[in-house]
Amino acid sequence: MTAQRWTRRDFFRSSGLTAAAVIGGPALLTACSRVDDSSGSATSATAETGADPLARFREAGTIKVGVANEQPYGYRDKSGNLTGEAPEVARAIFKSLGIDNLEAQIVDSFGSLIPGLQSKQYDIIAAGMFITPERCRQIAFSNPDYAAANAFLVAEGNPKSIMSFEDVAKGDAKIGVLEGAVEKGYAESSGVAGDQIKVFPNQNAAFKGILAGRVDAIALTAVSLRWTLQQQYADEPLEVTESFVPVVDGKEQTGAGGFGFRKEDTALREAFNAELKKLQEAGGVLPLIEKFGFSATEVDKAAQLTADQLCAVS
């Protein structure tokens, strides 16, 4: 691993989960599903505790995935379909492993994903989660499938000239971050005062917050901000700044995202990694996610990294 430390979000806080929905094939959310499945089915994440689940997932043809409702990483579209960068990549990989259906658990906030995985609400996290040393102490990760820089969502014309966290620290601007996100840590490490930081539970709340004048900027990945602005708020007087790589203690904090697994599910993660590598070498990742605003730059950079590198403390 180089001197760079690749991060996405900080530790997660526990919170409740919403109802699940079964998806497969074209990814249509077709039915609600209990998470605490008491039927003893082969797809239950609580079944056969201690056994690696790959074989039984193949037999059942279904696996449960935890997804945060954050565009463009994983979300429901207007027709009720589950889509986004992470679900589309996961769907392709699991189909190659003989698992045709994803049973998706949509969580209330990004911060509830790791607790949900640890408590066996679902079997993997498919939410574009950045791989960090802190998170690696809690769960295991696949190798990354994308990398992304940060940016700010600001009012048109960027009246407070916010281009970096240091700019915020030097002035009186207030910024919004998502619950459980690394951007809060970036801001604090750059000298932004606590009363200048507003934490929002999700992406939609953050966008509404800046429109209501509660904050002057929203800090998130550039891909996420540009996609959401284009898809949902194109008529609003907002813009996204140029992307940048935050620097903390002299080290660049560029992020690379992957899929989260419980530490004991070794064979499942290794099989997933093997199929991901095949997909990357065949040039198959970009066609799946470029419609969500990702480019060859994000895909190619991720293919040069491994989870072991990203989990290492620099």
Side-chain angles (χ1 to χ4, degrees):
M1 182 176 181
T2 67
Q4 293 179 328
R5 181 178 172 189
W6 299 68
T7 61
R8 172 81 158 80
R9 296 180 185 274
D10 289 37
F11 290 105
F12 296 88
R13 304 185 188 97
S14 297
S15 64
L17 300 176
T18 59
V22 176
I23 65 169
L28 183 64
L29 277 80
T30 56
C32 292
S33 170
R34 286 173 55 102
V35 176
D36 55 339
D37 184 359
S38 60
S39 65
S41 68
T43 62
S44 173
T46 60
E48 299 182 27
T49 301
D52 198 297
L54 179 57
R56 58 187 170 87
F57 291 149
R58 279 175 166 161
E59 182 179 357
T62 298
I63 187 169
K64 294 181 180 179
V65 300
V67 179
N69 198 32
E70 179 187 356
Q71 297 191 26
Y73 297 103
Y75 63 99
R76 289 186 179 115
D77 65 19
K78 293 180 180 179
S79 300
N81 297 314
L82 183 80
T83 189
E85 176 271 329
E88 297 300 341
V89 173
R91 185 175 297 113
I93 289 175
F94 282 121
K95 280 188 176 180
S96 69
L97 290 172
I99 304 170
D100 292 331
N101 298 314
L102 304 182
E103 185 177 334
Q105 177 78 16
I106 308 295
V107 305
D108 289 327
S109 71
F110 203 94
S112 63
L113 282 167
I114 285 182
L117 180 67
Q118 292 174 324
S119 63
K120 300 187 178 180
Q121 301 287 333
Y122 33 82
D123 300 293
I124 75 159
I125 294 171
M129 181 180 289
F130 273 18
I131 303 168
T132 71
E134 294 85 359
R135 289 173 180 163
C136 293
R137 288 193 284 268
Q138 302 174 70
I139 61 174
F141 279 95
S142 72
N143 290 327
D145 60 317
Y146 81 94
N150 282 86
F152 291 101
L153 178 73
V154 296
E156 279 185 347
N158 196 2
K160 296 209 171 183
S161 300
I162 299 171
M163 298 297 294
S164 68
F165 289 106
E166 288 77 12
D167 291 337
V168 179
K170 291 184 292 187
D172 61 355
K174 293 185 177 181
I175 62 169
V177 299
L178 296 193
E179 180 183 3
V182 293
E183 285 79 18
K184 184 173 185 288
Y186 294 163
E188 292 171 338
S189 297
S190 301
V192 179
D195 60 3
Q196 291 180 271
I197 303 171
K198 169 68 177 176
V199 178
F200 292 96
N202 54 55
Q203 192 181 50
N204 191 46
F207 269 71
K208 290 182 177 179
I210 191 172
L211 288 171
R214 299 172 64 191
V215 293
D216 301 295
I218 300 296
L220 245 177
T221 62
V223 170
S224 180
L225 291 174
R226 289 171 182 151
W227 172 264
T228 305
L229 180 59
Q230 176 187 3
Q231 297 295 317
Q232 297 187 45
Y233 297 90
D235 296 330
E236 300 293 347
L238 300 169
E239 65 181 58
V240 179
T241 66
E242 290 294 320
S243 60
F244 66 98
V245 178
V247 176
V248 174
D249 296 330
K251 298 175 182 178
E252 291 187 336
Q253 305 292 304
T254 306
F259 298 80
F261 297 79
R262 286 187 290 274
K263 286 181 177 288
E264 63 266 28
D265 292 343
T266 304
L268 178 63
R269 182 174 62 88
E270 289 179 350
F272 189 97
N273 269 341
E275 294 302 323
L276 173 60
K277 184 177 181 180
K278 292 178 185 177
L279 194 64
Q280 289 172 325
E281 290 178 344
V285 175
L286 184 59
L288 293 173
I289 68 175
E290 61 183 341
K291 60 186 175 183
F292 303 112
F294 291 82
S295 69
T297 299
E298 288 91 12
V299 173
D300 293 344
K301 182 180 289 187
Q304 299 169 17
L305 299 165
T306 68
D308 287 343
Q309 290 174 316
L310 300 171
C311 287
V313 178
S314 59

